[in-house]
């Protein structure tokens, strides 16, 4: 199963063919170690970790990334929401999406967050009304 993945690191673009997703994870981990000031690498590494279901590692990197000055916090909170959703905590996912909304500075990113909120709400179990009376 071959995948073509395009990764933007700094000014240049690297396009490689990866056979296994684990290789991508190793590559991004090395990129993080080589240039910790790059603001783009954590975003791709977190997405890779979430896709590979390395949830604990993704959580650590998200928490670290939120402390980096100049990083896109809307994206980091969005990924934190995805992490909570993968764990099955829809209420936390909604809470993190609300946090993401605070850092959205374009209408497109705000629309993505609002659509995701709507989608998560649709996945939540419906509560049955206690005051519902039976009709005969």
């Amino acid at each position: 199963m071959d995948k073509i993945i395009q990764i933007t690191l700094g000014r240049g673009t690297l396009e490689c063919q990866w056979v296994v997703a684990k290789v991508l994870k190793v590559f991004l981990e090395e990129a993080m170690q080589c240039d910790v000031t790059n603001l783009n690498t954590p975003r791709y590494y977190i997405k890779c970790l979430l896709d590979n279901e390395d949830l604990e590692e993704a959580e650590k990197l998200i928490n670290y990334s939120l402390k980096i000055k100049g990083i896109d916090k809307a994206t980091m909170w969005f990924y934190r929401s995805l992490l909570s959703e993968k764990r099955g905590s829809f209420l936390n996912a909604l809470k993190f999406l609300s946090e993401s909304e605070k850092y959205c500075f374009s209408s497109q990113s705000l629309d993505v967050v609002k659509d995701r909120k709507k989608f998560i709400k649709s996945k939540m179990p419906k509560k049955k009304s206690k005051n519902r009376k039976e009709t005969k």
Side-chain angles (χ1 to χ4, degrees), residues 23-83:
V23 175
L24 176 61
K25 180 181 169 189
V26 171
F27 172 76
L28 289 169
E29 187 175 348
E30 288 177 12
M32 284 286 297
Q33 292 172 357
C34 291
D35 187 6
V36 294
T37 60
N38 190 323
L39 300 177
N40 292 321
T41 309
R43 173 178 30 169
Y44 296 111
Y45 191 26
I46 291 167
K47 180 71 172 121
C48 174
L49 292 171
L50 289 173
D51 290 344
N52 287 328
E53 296 182 359
D54 295 327
L55 303 182
E56 290 80 25
E57 202 171 335
E59 183 176 18
K60 288 177 189 176
L61 185 55
I62 291 168
N63 291 336
Y64 168 76
S65 297
L66 284 168
K67 296 174 187 172
I68 297 174
K69 192 173 188 175
I71 201 157
D72 183 10
K73 291 192 183 335
T75 302
M76 294 300 113
W77 284 112
F78 186 83
Y79 283 151
R80 184 62 180 96
S81 167
L82 286 175
L83 176 67

Side-chain angles (χ1 to χ4, degrees), residues 108-120:
Q108 291 85 5
S109 62
L110 188 59
D111 289 342
V112 169
V113 171
K114 286 182 178 180
D115 288 344
R116 192 70 193 182
K117 273 181 137 177
K118 193 184 305 182
F119 176 70
I120 291 173

